[in-house]
Structures are given as structure tokens and as C-alpha cells.
Amino acid sequence: MMIQTFAKAVLAAALAFASPAQACTGIRLVAKDGGVAPGRTLEFGVDLESDVIIIPKGTAITGSTPDGGKGIAYTTKFGAVGANGAGLPDIIDGINDQGLYVGLFYFPGYGSFAETTKENAARALAPYEYGTWLLGNFASVDEVKANFEKVVVVPVVVDAIKEAPPVHFVIHDRSGKSVVIEPADHGLKIYDNPLGVLTNAPTFDWHMTNLRNYINLTATNVPPVDLSGLKLAQFGQGSGMRGLPGDFTPPSRLARAVAFSQAAPQPQTAPEAVLQVFHILNNFDIPYGAVRDAHDGLKHADYTLWTSAADLKNLKWYFKTFNDQSIRSVDLGTAVAAAKGKIRYIKMDSKQPVRDVSKDLK
């Protein structure tokens, strides 16, 4: 009864004030066949009710401004597929038909958006609309680098979370190039991302500097040590990674993301890389109740709502959810063709079937 009462209180608090998703983790693997497979977890304090969203080539899109006005207007050059959130017609994680991937990650306490003016309103869009703009207009990281500042990201509030989401962005392409874009000093700043990883605050360059604290780590076990004739050996497997941080803070998760993705044997093919990405990201699942916070006296808990991966060579986007751990895929070409020129959706949430195998005897 006590557990049920607490669970109801957490749910009520979450509905009253949605917890920022401060624990998302992203990685990238590259297969021997050249296939690039990025992936990430998505954490939040209340179900965002994400669905798969398909945005065909030729879709007319208009950006938003904080006063409810219209921002930038454009027509997508490329078809795209991915996940939305909070009922918005925008991709927060997904790919386009040129093999470009964009993922939005929370960036609390560090993002600073531009102010909307008469002069820049025609170039303005909301933070959650920026990823869709990138996917709709650009085919590669090089194109993103050349154009990422041609819009202004302005603080449009999302009703579901009662704030303008403070986000930054990771972008990968099918060549293996990667960058991180962060709102800073009321503009946008871009960083090369050779390791293909991202978590949350603080800034990306700080995370890269912080990695120097872990250069002693190795996937190889530490050999025995002889101390004045006393031989000391490891207790078991994993001694090379001793000291790797295990908590859920963004710096610790990024250190683990680098360690696990760099230690992974290179997969042969892109589909194999996708499966390896899911295995690695299992290490970043946040069990419900393990991370809690409070706001105005109300408690809420972040947990892993869904995990995604993408095959940028074969143009497929994959996902699994909190309620269904089976991996499902969306073929971009098939989905865009079926959408017939309109924005369409595929339900993500489902209940995982449990199959009784007690009679499957050999």
C-alpha cells in the first residue's frame, strides 16, 4: 500500500510539473562495411507519449516565436523519420533520406537562446523545431557546418513542461562525421565530435576536457603486481575499468559512453552495429525511481522512456520503449512512400508480449 501511494504521488507530481530530461545518453558506432549507427536513450519524468513521425519531402513548415507568431517558413528538401514528443509535429530524434541524423538532448542551466526581434523573426524557430529544420534541409555534416547559423533559436515555451526546452544537438552523417551544436551567448556554437558521444550539461568542450581524468582506463585487465615478494592479483574480470564512474550524472555517463563505445569490437555490418548500440545503451537505462528530484515540494523521477538507434547506410530508424523492450524498425523509404506527401504517425507505445517457452523442448 505504501509503495502504491508513493507511486501515485510521483505520478501526480510528474503531471503537475514535468521533470526535465536530464539523463539522455548518445553514442555512435561505425561498422567495417562503412555503416554508421548512432543511438541514444531518452529520459523524462513523465511519459512524453512519443510516436514515430514521418515528414515527407516537400512538406511546408513554419517555425514558431515566443509570442505565438510565425517564424521561418521553408519546404523540406528531404524526407525524414524519427520520434516526436508532447504531441508536437517535430522530430526530436531521427534521420533523413540522405543519411543525416539529429538528436536533441537536454542542456539545463547552460543554453541561452536569441531574443526575437523584427529583424530576425523571419529566421526564428523554437528549440524543438531546430532538429526538423536540419533534417529537412541538409544532407551532411559539412552542409550543417556551412548553414547552422542561418536561423535563430528563440525561447518558445512548451506547455507540457512549462518552459522553453534548454536543448543542444548532436548531428551525425553517413560518412561518420559528427558535430555538437549548443545555444550559447544568445547564438549557436558548433564543436567537432570525433568520439560521437553526447549527454547533457555542462558544455561539450568541458566534457572533452574532463575525459583526461579517465585516460588510465583500459578494457584489458590489470596484470598482477609484485610488492616485495607479495603478489597481488585482481579479484576478477574488469580491473582495467576500475574507477569508471557509475552514477547517472551527465559527466559520468559521458565517460562511460566513451569507454564502452571505444572498447566495442568493430561490427562487420551496419545492422550488427545497430544491435551493438542497443546492447551498449542498456548500460544507461535509468530504472524508475532511481533518480528523483523535487520542485515546489513535489517529487518526480526521471526514467528511460525509450531508446533509439539508426542505420545511416540502409536508412532505418529503430526503437524500443519502457513498456516494450523488443526492438522495432522503421524503413524510411517505405514509411515516406506510405505517408503520400502528408505528415503521418506510427504508434510507439505497446505492451511487450511474454511468450511461454516451457513446451519448446528439443
Side-chain angles (χ1 to χ4, degrees):
M1 181 65 70
M2 182 180 296
I3 294 176
Q4 291 178 344
T5 301
F6 177 75
K8 290 179 180 179
V10 170
L11 178 59
L15 293 173
F17 182 83
S19 167
Q22 298 183 9
C24 305
T25 302
I27 63 171
R28 178 207 58 198
L29 297 182
V30 180
K32 290 183 179 179
D33 69 355
V36 177
R40 58 91 58 81
T41 65
L42 187 285
E43 281 76 25
F44 219 80
V46 65
D47 190 354
L48 287 177
E49 299 182 356
S50 292
D51 285 319
V52 176
I53 178 172
I54 301 101
I55 303 179
K57 173 184 177 181
T59 300
I61 295 178
T62 302
S64 306
T65 59
D67 61 0
K70 295 181 179 180
I72 187 172
Y74 65 95
T75 299
T76 58
K77 299 177 182 177
F78 310 112
V81 66
N84 74 341
L88 296 169
D90 298 283
I91 294 175
I92 60 176
D93 184 88
I95 62 174
N96 70 13
D97 58 26
Q98 302 300 299
L100 188 75
Y101 164 93
V102 177
L104 280 66
F105 290 65
Y106 249 64
F107 192 45
Y110 286 84
S112 61
F113 300 117
E115 295 181 4
T116 311
T117 65
K118 291 182 179 179
E119 291 73 27
N120 69 17
R123 298 188 294 117
L125 44 69
Y128 53 86
E129 296 170 334
Y130 186 66
T132 303
W133 178 74
L134 292 174
L135 291 173
N137 288 281
F138 307 114
S140 67
V141 164
D142 287 341
E143 288 187 12
V144 170
K145 282 184 170 183
N147 295 279
F148 77 100
E149 288 185 300
K150 289 187 175 180
V151 294
V152 289
V153 180
V154 295
V156 180
V157 173
V158 176
D159 290 339
I161 60 174
K162 297 179 174 57
E163 68 173 342
V167 291
H168 56 174
F169 311 85
V170 63
I171 299 95
H172 307 286
D173 68 19
R174 66 196 317 169
S175 76
K177 291 183 179 180
S178 178
V179 292
V180 169
I181 297 175
E182 296 182 336
D185 300 323
H186 307 291
L188 295 170
K189 190 169 184 178
I190 194 166
Y191 301 92
D192 286 321
N193 182 14
L195 301 177
V197 297
L198 188 63
T199 55
N200 314 103
T203 58
F204 184 70
D205 57 340
W206 184 96
H207 281 294
M208 292 298 99
T209 300
N210 185 53
L211 288 177
R212 296 184 183 187
N213 287 315
Y214 304 103
I215 58 175
N216 61 297
L217 298 177
T218 172
T220 304
N221 288 329
V222 175
V225 175
D226 191 313
L227 298 177
S228 301
L230 176 63
K231 190 174 184 180
L232 301 177
Q234 58 179 302
F235 286 114
Q237 297 296 319
S239 60
M241 288 288 184
R242 180 169 171 77
L244 185 68
D247 59 76
F248 292 119
T249 62
S252 295
R253 284 184 286 104
L254 190 132
R256 294 204 305 278
V258 171
F260 297 154
S261 60
Q262 291 294 308
Q266 188 174 26
Q268 293 291 329
T269 66
E272 290 177 9
V274 167
L275 293 178
Q276 182 74 335
V277 164
F278 276 110
H279 280 298
I280 292 173
L281 290 175
N282 286 338
N283 293 277
F284 298 91
D285 269 6
I286 295 183
Y288 187 74
V291 174
R292 304 179 189 178
D293 202 352
H295 179 82
D296 293 337
L298 299 176
K299 295 181 180 179
H300 52 78
D302 277 18
Y303 66 104
T304 303
L305 299 182
W306 46 261
T307 302
S308 70
D311 178 346
L312 303 187
K313 180 178 182 180
N314 299 299
L315 299 180
K316 292 186 178 183
W317 187 79
Y318 299 76
F319 68 96
K320 63 178 184 177
T321 64
F322 179 82
N323 291 317
D324 191 344
Q325 291 289 288
S326 59
I327 297 172
R328 286 151 282 168
S329 68
V330 181
D331 181 276
L332 187 151
T334 301
V336 169
K340 296 182 179 180
K342 297 181 180 180
I343 294 179
R344 300 290 296 275
Y345 299 88
I346 299 170
K347 188 175 179 61
M348 282 180 66
D349 191 31
S350 61
K351 186 176 181 180
Q352 183 165 350
V354 178
R355 190 169 71 90
D356 185 350
V357 298
S358 54
K359 295 182 181 179
D360 294 355
L361 303 176
K362 293 184 178 180

